[in-house]
Amino acid sequence: SNTLYYMDMVHQNNYLNPAYQNSCNGFLGLPGFSGLSAEGMNSAFTYNGFIRKGEGQYVDSLIYDFRNIKAQLQTSNYLMAGAQVPILGIGFWVKNAYFTFDISNKTRARLSYPDDIGDLLDGNANNTGEDNPIELNNIGPNAFNYNEVAFGLSRQITHRLVIGGKLKVLSGNLNISSTGSNIKLFTAEDTYAIRLESDLKLKIAGPVSYEYN
């Protein structure tokens, strides 16, 4: 997003800055030809905290440092992702005013997970028996998908001042939210067989159907 904001010759700059004015006479964006936006992030660790340069005989290699990740985990952590698919984009000038019209589909998703998930890096040998499970609570997804129709107007007031704004109409397609979870991982003492028990509560709104017994 920070990179796109400063790409003056790209119409999609207008997604972030409604005052942006394209220097071309007009713009037309069609499905499949107007680009695709995708992003991902997490709250627990950075790239350098996960991958580091090796030392000694591994000095020419990159090392996955899972132990360092475990040390950086907070009580609540999040993995986040997003995508935007342009469906139609129009930009044109009327005298000194620049008008835009955009239709796009947007998706946002977030997965929450606790720091207890780092215990899985140590294996399950220390958590055997029915009374000593690994507990992973508060794991849950939150996601939504919607269509956006945006009308924009940008006007240059002075050579150093440009004012712009957008009017948006949003239409939701799907929403998934977690209201709580309780996941337990049991390991048998004699065979080390693993059994997973989960209690996950989800709220779903969208064109889906399901059956349960």
Side-chain angles (χ1 to χ4, degrees), residues 28-194:
L28 175 63
L30 299 175
F33 298 93
S34 300
L36 171 67
S37 172
E39 59 185 359
M41 64 194 76
N42 74 85
S43 65
F45 56 88
T46 64
Y47 172 85
N48 291 330
F50 175 42
I51 299 178
R52 60 177 175 82
K53 291 184 178 181
E55 301 176 353
Q57 62 178 328
Y58 302 107
V59 69
D60 60 344
S61 304
L62 295 177
I63 307 298
Y64 297 97
D65 196 342
F66 291 100
R67 298 297 175 188
N68 192 36
I69 289 179
K70 181 179 178 180
Q72 295 182 66
L73 293 177
Q74 306 297 317
T75 302
S76 296
N77 307 274
Y78 302 96
L79 286 174
M80 293 161 281
Q84 177 175 345
V85 181
I87 299 174
L88 177 65
I90 300 174
F92 58 93
W93 288 90
V94 177
K95 296 184 179 180
N96 63 340
Y98 185 65
F99 292 85
T100 59
F101 174 74
D102 293 282
I103 303 176
S104 58
N105 179 270
K106 294 185 176 182
T107 301
R108 296 290 183 270
R110 186 186 73 178
L111 175 67
S112 60
Y113 60 97
D115 55 352
D116 294 332
I117 201 169
D119 293 339
L120 297 177
L121 296 175
D122 298 325
N124 57 340
N126 296 324
N127 296 87
T128 59
E130 292 296 315
D131 299 328
N132 190 28
I134 296 177
E135 296 191 33
L136 304 174
N137 298 321
N138 298 321
I139 293 180
N142 287 274
F144 56 89
N145 175 275
Y146 64 96
N147 296 324
E148 177 184 285
V149 179
F151 304 87
L153 170 62
S154 173
R155 183 163 185 157
Q156 185 165 356
I157 306 303
T158 69
H159 71 286
R160 300 185 61 180
L161 177 62
V162 179
I163 296 178
K166 281 192 174 185
L167 175 64
K168 297 183 178 182
V169 178
L170 309 181
S171 175
N173 298 318
L174 177 68
N175 181 273
I176 301 175
S177 61
S178 171
T179 59
S181 66
N182 185 1
I183 299 175
K184 295 181 179 180
L185 190 66
F186 295 90
T187 303
E189 293 181 292
D190 50 354
T191 63
Y192 285 91
I194 297 175

